[in-house]
């Protein structure tokens, strides 16, 4: 049975074009800077995001970690959202490994941080307090529903930060989803910020990897940090080759995933017991809550769907997140809607 896997866009498998590129990839020792495929991927990624340089890292988690540990000293504090991936899902790495603490603010509906609240969170120059060093923004914002922030907001937040001597890092794991959904060049979202990480391994379909981008000087320091973290890989051009295919051929098609997410959300909204939140998906994520009329637990619903070859995952005691990606076609949507309708009846 062909599985329909809506748990995440990380479940995407490399395309045939990626497999071919991987088989043929020219490689070298990347720790010596000798891997031509990685060098090319890094240059492409930096150019796409309007940055001077890029650094291939094994995961988005390491990208954010290397960025924050490069920008910050021990005892520094990062302002970020209460539902930021870095706060919730990266093992508290910035604190355990870097001695960096975080100050979390409740995000607004679109995942952005309100400037007045950021202003109030900036520490005084006082030995009792940590030193505010950096603001992290997440675009698209995962836990807030795959919502995106606009280039105007990013510019405003960054100007605000720079006026106060603060650094801005963007967790842009899905920054291309954000750009495609807004019909804009990704550079408009990333040029203002000091550094940005994005994932090749999600909707873009590559098997592994993220790229951290920023100024040449910053990337030089971050390369040392990546080594500290054990992320210096050798002939990793084999996996980076898939990343090049991802950047060349998988970005524009994200619009299809967004369109399917809208259709799926609309169809699901007609099923009694499903309450979409947000009501219209901004990108490729659909979040819904179960009404009290539904007796089944999320685990029971997951089980019943899995029996029909459909994988979904709860993201709260009565909440589900479904994610569309290139392996989900119209037929998969139909099957999922019917299975959920039947299960919840
Ligand atoms: C997936 C993700 C990351 C990084 O995840 P890895 O699994 O480590 O690649 C970072 N931020 C957000 C918002 C994400 O969704």
């Amino acid at each position: 049975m062909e599985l329909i896997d809506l748990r995440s866009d990380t479940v995407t498998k490399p395309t045939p074009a990626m497999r071919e590129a991987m088989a043929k990839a020219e490689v070298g020792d990347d720790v010596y800077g000798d891997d031509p495929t990685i060098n090319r991927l890094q240059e492409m990624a930096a150019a796409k995001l309007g940055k001077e340089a890029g650094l291939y890292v094994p995961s988005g988690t390491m990208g954010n970690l290397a960025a924050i540990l490069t920008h910050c000293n021990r005892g520094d504090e990062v302002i970020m959202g209460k539902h930021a991936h870095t706060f919730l899902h990266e093992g508290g790495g910035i604190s355990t490994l870097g001695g960096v603490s975080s100050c979390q603010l409740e995000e607004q509906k679109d995942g952005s941080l309100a400037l007045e609240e950021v202003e109030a969170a900036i520490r005084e120059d006082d030995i009792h307090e940590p030193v505010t060093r950096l603001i992290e923004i997440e675009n698209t914002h995962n836990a807030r529903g795959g919502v995106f922030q606009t280039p105007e907001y990013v510019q405003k937040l960054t100007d605000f930060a720079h006026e106060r001597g603060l650094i801005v890092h963007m967790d842009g794991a899905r920054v291309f989803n954000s750009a495609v959904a807004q019909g804009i060049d990704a550079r408009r979202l990333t040029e203002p910020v000091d550094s940005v990480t994005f994932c090749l391994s999600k909707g873009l379909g590559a098997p592994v990897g993220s790229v951290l981008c920023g100024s040449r000087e910053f990337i030089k320091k971050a390369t040392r940090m990546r080594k500290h973290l054990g992320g210096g890989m050798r002939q990793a051009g084999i996996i980076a080759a898939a990343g090049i295919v991802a950047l060349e051929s998988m970005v524009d098609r994200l619009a299809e995933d967004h369109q399917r997410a809208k259709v799926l959300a609309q169809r699901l909204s007609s099923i009694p017991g499903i309450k979409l939140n947000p009501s219209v998906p901004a990108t490729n994520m659909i979040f819904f809550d179960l009404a009290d009329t539904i007796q089944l637990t999320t685990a029971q619903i997951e089980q019943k769907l899995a029996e029909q070859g459909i994988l979904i995952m709860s993201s709260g005691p009565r909440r589900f997140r479904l994610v569309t990606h290139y392996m989900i076609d119209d037929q998969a949507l139909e099957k999922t809607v019917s299975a959920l309708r039947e299960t919840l009846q």
Side-chain angles (χ1 to χ4, degrees), residues 10 59-62 64 85 90 138 140 142 171 173-174 199 201-202 210:
T10 57
S59 67
T61 298
M62 190 185 286
N64 289 332
H85 194 276
E90 295 172 17
E138 188 173 310
T140 63
N142 183 341
D171 175 359
R174 295 183 183 80
C199 295
S201 57
K202 294 185 171 169
S210 290

Coordinates of all heavy atoms in Angstrom, one line a residue, residues 10 59-62 64 85 90 138 140 142 171 173-174 199 201-202 210, ligand 1:
T10 N 9.0 17.0 6.2 CA 10.3 16.4 6.3 C 10.3 14.9 5.9 O 11.4 14.3 5.7 CB 10.8 16.3 7.8 OG1 9.8 15.6 8.6 CG2 11.0 17.7 8.4
S59 N 21.6 20.1 9.7 CA 20.2 20.3 10.1 C 19.9 21.7 10.3 O 20.8 22.5 10.6 CB 19.9 19.5 11.3 OG 20.6 20.0 12.4
G60 N 18.6 22.0 10.3 CA 18.2 23.4 10.7 C 18.5 23.7 12.1 O 18.9 24.8 12.5
T61 N 18.4 22.7 13.0 CA 18.8 22.9 14.4 C 20.2 23.3 14.5 O 20.5 24.3 15.2 CB 18.6 21.5 15.1 OG1 17.2 21.2 15.1 CG2 19.0 21.6 16.6
M62 N 21.1 22.6 13.8 CA 22.5 23.1 13.9 C 22.8 24.4 13.3 O 23.6 25.2 13.7 CB 23.5 22.0 13.3 CG 25.0 22.4 13.6 SD 26.2 21.4 12.8 CE 26.1 19.9 13.8
N64 N 20.6 27.0 13.3 CA 20.2 28.0 14.2 C 21.2 28.1 15.4 O 21.6 29.2 15.9 CB 18.8 27.7 14.8 CG 17.7 28.0 13.7 OD1 17.9 28.8 12.8 ND2 16.6 27.3 13.9
H85 N 10.5 27.6 17.2 CA 11.1 26.2 17.1 C 12.4 26.1 18.0 O 12.6 25.1 18.7 CB 11.4 25.9 15.7 CG 11.7 24.5 15.3 ND1 13.0 24.0 15.5 CD2 10.9 23.5 14.9 CE1 12.9 22.7 15.2 NE2 11.7 22.4 14.8
E90 N 14.5 22.4 19.9 CA 15.9 22.3 19.6 C 16.7 21.9 20.8 O 17.9 22.2 20.9 CB 16.4 23.5 18.8 CG 15.7 23.7 17.5 CD 16.0 25.0 16.7 OE1 17.0 25.7 17.0 OE2 15.2 25.2 15.8
E138 N 10.9 33.8 13.2 CA 10.7 32.6 12.5 C 9.7 32.8 11.4 O 8.6 33.3 11.6 CB 10.1 31.5 13.5 CG 10.0 30.1 13.0 CD 9.6 29.2 14.1 OE1 10.2 29.1 15.2 OE2 8.6 28.4 13.9
T140 N 8.5 30.9 7.6 CA 7.2 30.9 8.2 C 7.2 30.4 9.6 O 8.2 29.7 10.0 CB 6.2 29.9 7.4 OG1 6.7 28.6 7.5 CG2 6.2 30.3 6.0
N142 N 6.1 28.0 12.3 CA 5.6 26.6 12.3 C 4.4 26.5 13.3 O 3.3 26.3 12.8 CB 6.8 25.7 12.6 CG 6.4 24.2 12.6 OD1 5.3 23.8 12.7 ND2 7.5 23.4 12.5
D171 N 15.1 32.3 11.6 CA 14.9 30.9 11.5 C 14.0 30.7 10.3 O 12.7 30.8 10.4 CB 14.3 30.2 12.7 CG 14.0 28.7 12.5 OD1 14.2 28.2 11.4 OD2 13.5 28.1 13.5
A173 N 13.5 28.2 8.3 CA 13.4 26.8 7.9 C 12.6 26.6 6.6 O 12.9 25.9 5.7 CB 12.8 25.9 9.0
R174 N 11.4 27.4 6.6 CA 10.6 27.4 5.4 C 10.4 28.8 4.8 O 9.4 29.2 4.4 CB 9.2 26.8 5.8 CG 9.2 25.4 6.2 CD 7.8 24.8 6.5 NE 7.9 23.4 7.0 CZ 8.2 23.1 8.2 NH1 8.4 24.0 9.1 NH2 8.2 21.8 8.6
C199 N 15.9 25.2 5.5 CA 16.1 23.7 5.3 C 15.8 23.3 3.9 O 14.9 23.7 3.2 CB 15.0 23.0 6.2 SG 15.3 23.3 8.0
S201 N 15.7 20.0 3.5 CA 15.2 18.7 3.8 C 13.7 18.6 4.1 O 13.2 17.6 4.5 CB 15.9 18.1 5.0 OG 15.7 19.1 6.1
K202 N 13.0 19.8 3.8 CA 11.5 19.8 4.1 C 10.8 19.8 2.8 O 11.0 18.9 2.0 CB 11.2 20.9 5.0 CG 11.9 20.7 6.4 CD 11.6 21.7 7.4 CE 12.1 21.2 8.8 NZ 12.1 22.2 9.8
S210 N 20.7 21.8 5.7 CA 20.2 23.2 5.7 C 21.4 24.1 5.4 O 22.5 23.6 5.3 CB 19.8 23.5 7.2 OG 18.6 22.8 7.5
Ligands
LIG1 C1 12.3 22.0 11.0 C2 12.5 23.3 11.6 C3 13.8 23.6 12.0 C4 15.0 22.7 12.0 O1 14.8 21.4 12.0 P1 15.8 20.2 11.7 O2 14.9 19.1 11.8 O3 16.9 20.3 12.7 O4 16.3 20.5 10.3 C5 14.0 24.9 12.6 N1 13.0 25.7 12.6 C6 11.7 25.4 12.2 C7 10.7 26.5 12.3 C8 11.5 24.2 11.7 O5 10.2 23.9 11.3

